Amino acid sequence: SASIMVSPAIALAFLPFLLTLVIRYRYYFVLFYRAVLVRFIQDCLSGLSREERAFQYVLTHVTPGDPDSILEAFDHWCRKVEYISNIGPKKGRLLDRLILENAPLIVLELGTHCGYGAVRIARSLPLGARLYTVEMDERNAAVAEKVIRLAGFDDDTVELIIGPSDQVIPKLREDFGIERLDFVFMDHWKRCYLPDLQLLEGSGLLGAGSVILADNVIFPGAPHFLRYVKRSGLYEYRIHRATLEYIPGIRDGMAELTYIGGGTQREK
């Protein structure tokens, strides 16, 4: 009977600890609920992918040819309906600013997903500039293609390339005639950030002043990538602190790199 009496006492002792855990990690529970549980249920009920569901909403809530309305519709859907890890409006403003400041003519995006980032970049590009965006998932690429065209961007402005980034990067010069990348936006699998950066270096597509912006370097995180950037001596770099898109309680950040090609690394 003593052991039976101990059990509720132990449970009571653990209660404050459990409450502390729930409170401290509440935003991660929200993320798990919205990104995993809701998605699983909706996948079963709808027979569509999450990206296809987002597109259905966007299609009925936007003005064709108006990129801003497409971004706003995505942001609303991701906040209120289901979670998709687009760059989102807050971190997106940094991307907007860097595109406007650098006025890049040739841009590479790694990880098109459903086209949010591509639309965000394309609307700020100078006249005559071109965005090449790479997506390995064919089903997502089909959605992204529709989103990009719905926003009013044709093949001359945004070219969608379907395939794994590590296969696409070595062929950019040969297949697309690209001599130099002025701007690279990385928002694909975080484990690919470092090998893909090294592929870009090896391909000779980065020139002095080429800018690379990498999203989600704090959460989910890209520690090997950050360690390499700091030690390589090839970049000026800075980390922009931020919060995770659509979940303001989770800390995140973006890494902004400027290729200097040798010498010692400098923090901007």
Side-chain angles (χ1 to χ4, degrees):
S1 68
S3 64
I4 293 169
M5 288 301 293
V6 168
S7 300
I10 289 171
L12 277 171
F14 268 95
L15 199 58
F17 172 69
L18 286 172
L19 279 172
T20 304
L21 272 185
V22 168
I23 291 164
R24 176 173 292 179
Y25 296 107
R26 64 192 181 280
Y27 294 110
Y28 297 93
F29 288 121
V30 169
L31 178 63
F32 177 76
Y33 169 73
R34 296 194 60 216
V36 179
L37 294 183
V38 172
R39 179 183 186 176
F40 175 74
I41 292 162
Q42 291 297 337
D43 282 355
C44 294
L45 292 175
S46 72
L48 299 171
S49 72
R50 178 181 55 171
E51 292 73 19
E52 287 163 343
R53 291 192 293 276
F55 178 69
Q56 280 193 338
Y57 176 86
V58 166
L59 192 57
T60 55
H61 288 81
V62 302
T63 309
D66 179 1
D68 295 2
S69 76
I70 286 172
L71 297 176
E72 284 163 19
F74 264 115
D75 289 335
H76 182 271
W77 193 86
C78 294
R79 276 199 200 96
K80 305 290 184 189
V81 186
E82 284 186 67
Y83 180 86
I84 286 185
S85 58
N86 304 317
I87 185 174
K90 288 188 177 174
K91 288 189 289 183
R93 281 192 282 276
L94 173 66
L95 175 60
D96 299 344
R97 179 169 66 76
L98 291 176
I99 294 287
L100 290 168
E101 282 175 5
N102 290 282
L105 290 177
I106 302 292
V107 180
L108 175 67
E109 178 187 37
L110 299 175
T112 318
H113 201 179
C114 44
Y116 180 99
V119 169
R120 187 136 208 150
I121 292 167
R123 68 174 185 163
S124 299
L125 288 177
L127 204 62
R130 193 145 200 212
L131 166 62
Y132 297 88
T133 182
V134 180
E135 175 55 49
M136 67 178 288
D137 186 300
E138 289 190 20
R139 203 169 171 184
N140 288 349
V143 171
E145 181 85 43
K146 289 186 276 194
V147 168
I148 291 162
R149 305 307 166 219
L150 184 65
F153 301 112
D154 61 14
D155 271 339
D156 289 336
T157 307
V158 181
E159 179 146 355
L160 178 57
I161 304 166
I162 302 170
S165 53
D166 61 346
Q167 289 177 25
V168 172
I169 291 168
K171 294 180 178 175
L172 285 173
R173 188 184 295 272
E174 181 189 334
D175 290 358
F176 299 94
I178 297 171
E179 295 294 323
R180 170 198 157 103
L181 293 166
D182 302 310
F183 193 98
V184 179
F185 178 49
M186 291 187 169
D187 196 13
H188 55 326
W189 292 106
K190 311 314 152 195
R191 66 173 180 270
C192 298
Y193 281 18
L194 177 54
D196 283 355
L197 183 68
Q198 292 171 324
L199 275 177
L200 288 168
E201 292 166 5
S203 67
L205 292 172
L206 300 179
S210 292
V211 173
I212 297 130
L213 184 66
D215 193 14
N216 306 122
V217 295
I218 307 298
F219 183 86
H224 300 298
F225 170 81
L226 291 179
R227 196 174 304 122
Y228 171 79
V229 165
K230 288 172 183 177
R231 291 178 180 174
S232 70
L234 298 173
Y235 303 93
E236 288 183 348
Y237 66 90
R238 63 184 294 185
I239 308 298
H240 297 273
R241 302 283 168 187
T243 55
L244 187 67
E245 50 274 11
Y246 315 118
I247 310 271
I250 297 177
R251 283 190 300 180
D252 192 17
M254 304 174 83
E256 176 197 346
L257 325 178
T258 305
Y259 187 73
I260 51 176
T264 54
Q265 106 280 1
R266 291 172 285 178
E267 188 160 359
K268 290 170 81 172

